[in-house]
Amino acid sequence: MKRILAGATAASALLVLTACGSGSSSTGTTATTGAATSAAASAGGAPVTLKLVAPDYGSGPADASAAYWKTVTDDFTKANPTIKVETTVINWNDLATKVATMVQNGQQPDVYVGGDYAGFVKDNLLYPVTDVLSPATQQNLLKPFADKGIVNGKAYGIPFVSSARALFYNKDLVPTAPTTWDQIKTSADAVKAKGKIGFGLPLGSEEAQAETMLWELGNGGGYTDASGKWTVDSPANVATFTWLQSLVKAGDTEPNPANKNRTDLWKQFASGQIGMINGSPALLPIIKSTNAKLNFGVAPVAGKTGPLTTTLGVADFLMAFNKSGHKDAIKKFLDFTYQDTYQEKFDLEYSLLPVTTSATTALQSDANLKPFLTALPTATFYPFTDPAWTPVSAQIKQIIGTALTGDPAKVLGQIQATATKK
């Protein structure tokens, strides 16, 4: 997700997916699909051309997202001959900047996938979701994700794709998935005795905010309480890091988690060097390419006294600009795009998760995806709607690892001070 975080604007970077691999194809790949205008006119009805801008979720030409969108838009235009779709796929590093320039020049697309919608709402540039999605499609969206698209009481952002976290374990080192912290400790001790790393704990700068949140949720804590009040240095969170300190001091993790990033440890897990690690569906292709014969399992994240009934949820959003006035055509296109066929195709291609109830149910038969999918409907999110989250997230990445070697209360107190600074 370094690609996504680099390309998103500040607000979208806080919610954007943390599950994709790095890399992208060339910037600004444009594919025009659909019937020609004359053919559209002969089919009856006024011809319309929709402009779609989307990010490239692929790692190169072989899995570039332009191919996915060509399939969708070709199929759509066959079913709706009077509507042509022009698709521009841009790599994540340039996406936000290029779209901002389009908007500044009055050339915004009809549909934009992957960016921040709140700023556009402020400038009255977007259709509300009720204008561009049928009631049936709206009701099929997973509620926790759909609710995150609400600005000032009205929904404008439409979740497009999601991700979540679960526990991966090497069955040859850890035969049964641990469900509690005590079981993690016992299993990690056994793995350490075999000369390998018991639990991979990535608290380096890449994505420390995600790993931190998972452990805090496991002890009934988190960054904020139910009312949105910051609780970074709560007793529950301090106790969480005190326990993690003991795990590190016992040699049950890598020697210095503060300097270890998620991607590096995921690769070590895939090579069979780590017994347990929290991961997203993006770990699955790493395992496949590194060690396809790895005997592993996926289970709910272990909490202090039992498995988490929630997990960290993240998503990329879609929005519809109102400048062209193509509301009805956009609605037809979006309803078509959110069909299970296309949701599942995209998710399986890029090791991501759906945002609709029906597609989530359809993918439950995949044993490796099931723990993620089961947790999605009750997912917990970063407090990204609070402006303080931007500096808080940055500070967590910088200093949270020191809570494993110093005073957890002091380190968490520093972050709390940043969160509540007026």
Side-chain angles (χ1 to χ4, degrees):
M1 281 313 298
K2 287 183 281 189
R3 163 176 96 254
I4 294 182
L5 291 174
T9 54
S12 62
L14 304 178
L15 187 62
V16 78
L17 292 170
T18 56
C20 299
S22 60
S24 61
S25 63
S26 59
T27 302
T29 302
T30 303
T32 301
T33 61
T37 301
S38 58
S42 64
V48 171
T49 298
L50 296 179
K51 294 184 178 180
L52 165 70
V53 171
D56 190 358
Y57 287 82
S59 58
D63 64 349
S65 295
Y68 166 81
W69 285 112
K70 186 177 189 306
T71 297
V72 176
T73 54
D74 279 352
D75 290 353
F76 173 73
T77 298
K78 287 177 184 177
N80 300 272
T82 61
I83 305 175
K84 181 171 66 173
V85 182
E86 294 180 353
T87 304
T88 301
V89 174
I90 303 173
N91 73 44
W92 280 101
N93 293 331
D94 303 311
L95 181 66
T97 300
K98 287 186 174 293
V99 172
T101 300
M102 292 177 189
V103 173
Q104 185 177 14
N105 294 335
Q107 299 174 337
Q108 51 262 47
D110 293 284
V111 177
Y112 172 32
V113 179
D116 168 35
Y117 47 85
F120 296 134
V121 172
K122 183 179 179 181
D123 293 333
N124 298 313
L125 298 177
L126 302 182
Y127 283 116
V129 173
T130 51
D131 282 1
V132 291
L133 277 188
S134 68
T137 302
Q138 291 178 60
Q139 291 166 11
N140 195 29
L141 293 173
L142 293 172
K143 190 175 187 302
F145 292 89
D147 286 350
K148 293 302 174 182
I150 295 174
V151 179
N152 297 327
K154 184 177 289 188
Y156 292 90
I158 307 169
F160 174 68
V161 68
S162 69
S163 188
R165 292 291 190 273
L167 175 69
F168 285 73
Y169 61 105
N170 183 326
K171 291 184 177 181
D172 292 333
L173 300 174
V174 182
T176 304
T179 60
T180 67
W181 289 359
D182 285 345
Q183 291 175 8
I184 283 179
K185 179 68 169 66
T186 300
S187 297
D189 285 341
V191 174
K192 180 182 65 174
K194 297 177 182 179
K196 298 183 185 294
I197 297 170
F199 199 102
L201 188 63
L203 288 178
S205 60
E206 182 182 2
E207 207 183 33
Q209 82 284 359
E211 189 72 15
T212 296
M213 185 168 172
L214 286 173
W215 286 100
E216 291 178 348
L217 288 173
N219 195 27
Y223 295 130
T224 61
D225 62 17
S227 69
K229 180 182 177 182
W230 287 97
T231 56
V232 180
D233 62 348
S234 68
N237 290 345
V238 172
T240 294
F241 272 88
T242 300
W243 187 86
L244 286 173
Q245 262 193 1
S246 68
L247 197 69
V248 175
K249 289 178 179 178
D252 288 326
T253 69
E254 68 277 11
N256 192 354
N259 293 333
K260 285 292 185 178
N261 285 327
R262 177 199 71 180
T263 301
D264 296 330
L265 290 181
W266 281 5
K267 290 178 180 177
Q268 284 185 260
F269 176 84
S271 66
Q273 299 304 306
I274 296 176
M276 300 163 283
I277 195 165
N278 293 321
S280 79
L283 177 48
L284 296 171
I286 294 176
I287 294 172
K288 184 177 180 180
S289 62
T290 303
N291 182 10
K293 294 183 179 180
L294 183 71
N295 183 21
F296 73 97
V298 184
V301 173
K304 183 177 181 179
T305 59
L308 268 64
T309 56
T310 183
T311 189
L312 171 63
V314 288
D316 286 341
F317 279 72
L318 174 153
M319 67 211 73
F321 285 92
N322 56 27
K323 185 175 188 296
S324 68
H326 294 153
K327 178 177 64 175
D328 293 339
I330 292 171
K331 178 183 283 189
K332 287 184 179 180
F333 177 63
L334 294 186
D335 281 343
F336 188 90
T337 301
Y338 276 86
Q339 293 180 86
D340 289 351
T341 297
Y342 303 111
Q343 276 270 303
E344 293 170 33
K345 179 180 176 62
F346 189 90
D347 299 328
L348 293 174
E349 174 70 25
Y350 299 109
S351 298
L352 295 169
L353 301 174
V355 293
T356 63
T357 300
S358 56
T360 298
T361 301
L363 292 175
Q364 289 278 355
S365 60
D366 188 316
N368 289 328
L369 289 179
K370 188 172 182 178
F372 299 103
L373 297 169
T374 300
L376 274 183
T378 58
T380 301
F381 299 83
Y382 298 128
F384 70 94
T385 56
D386 191 313
W389 173 242
T390 299
V392 166
S393 177
Q395 190 176 29
I396 291 170
K397 294 176 184 178
Q398 292 170 356
I399 71 170
I400 196 63
T402 63
L404 300 177
T405 55
D407 180 357
K410 182 177 180 180
V411 175
L412 294 175
Q414 287 180 258
I415 301 171
Q416 176 74 14
T418 298
T420 56
K421 184 178 180 180
K422 301 297 183 181

